[in-house]
Amino acid sequence: MHRLFRCGPCRQFTPDLVNFYNKMNSRRGKENQFEIVWVSRCRDVNSYGQYFTQMNWLALPPQEAMGQRGQMLSNKYKVKGIPSLVLLDEVGNVITLDGRNKIPADKAGIGFPWRNPVATLYITVVPKSLRLMIKTQIDGVKSQVLGVLKGAAGQKVTA
């Protein structure tokens, strides 16, 4: 997540991110093997437009990014500051919440995508279709457990 052009950390990180994005896609020999979806929490559309002109990747529309969806994503991925970079795998599992610090530490991308060795083994051994099915099942059980806990605590349960 990024903020205004005048944000020092964002201004400093964006060129590194652009270079890293281009390097990862060219290294793999195919465009869009590493994709970014930019979620800007800029406070106005003009700032969003000025900042986004530096980037050649996907973006959540500014109204959604600045609104409830952007806030939901910030909460889901525990965004504490800006800029923030969360890496997800092809089925939406978190690889790291610390991409912001990983890129400057590994500009060549030697360790990219910085997976935990156990996760790498799991991804290698378990087919994608089975990983998706497992994720769906776990998400369903998690929702049920949270619903029961919220109900027991007297909180409103939302689907």
Side-chain angles (χ1 to χ4, degrees):
M1 310 228 163
H2 291 279
R3 253 198 220 169
L4 286 263
F5 225 1
R6 61 181 174 246
C7 165
C10 294
R11 236 185 3 253
Q12 181 180 8
F13 179 62
T14 300
D16 287 344
L17 183 58
V18 169
N19 290 335
F20 188 83
Y21 175 82
N22 293 334
K23 187 180 297 180
M24 290 303 99
N25 281 319
S26 66
R27 180 177 84 177
R28 295 193 182 327
K30 293 182 180 178
E31 280 293 315
N32 302 324
Q33 290 295 309
F34 168 57
E35 191 55 76
I36 293 174
V37 178
W38 184 52
V39 180
S40 173
R41 299 292 286 161
C42 291
R43 290 197 167 84
D44 65 83
V45 177
N46 289 336
S47 297
Y48 173 96
Q50 288 174 349
Y51 199 59
F52 190 63
T53 60
Q54 296 183 50
M55 303 167 201
N56 54 348
W57 48 69
L58 304 171
L60 200 61
Q63 295 79 3
E64 289 183 49
M66 291 179 237
Q68 188 175 2
R69 180 168 292 186
Q71 186 60 51
M72 184 270 306
L73 289 168
S74 290
N75 294 341
K76 179 176 183 170
Y77 296 113
K78 301 171 180 67
V79 173
K80 301 286 185 225
I82 55 167
S84 179
L85 180 64
V86 176
L87 295 180
L88 306 174
D89 67 13
E90 68 277 2
V91 296
N93 293 317
V94 174
I95 295 171
T96 182
L97 298 174
D98 195 30
R100 164 67 181 93
N101 292 315
K102 298 279 187 185
I103 288 176
D106 184 15
K107 288 185 180 188
I110 294 177
F112 180 77
W114 311 296
R115 290 184 195 272
N116 174 310
V118 174
T120 301
L121 178 64
Y122 171 71
I123 288 165
T124 303
V125 173
V126 180
K128 181 179 176 182
S129 58
L130 183 56
R131 292 193 323 264
L132 273 169
M133 187 177 76
I134 292 168
K135 181 180 187 323
T136 302
Q137 292 296 317
I138 289 171
D139 288 347
V141 169
K142 184 174 142 184
S143 293
Q144 289 175 347
V145 169
L146 287 174
V148 169
L149 291 174
K150 285 182 177 180
Q155 295 179 1
K156 182 179 177 185
V157 179
T158 58

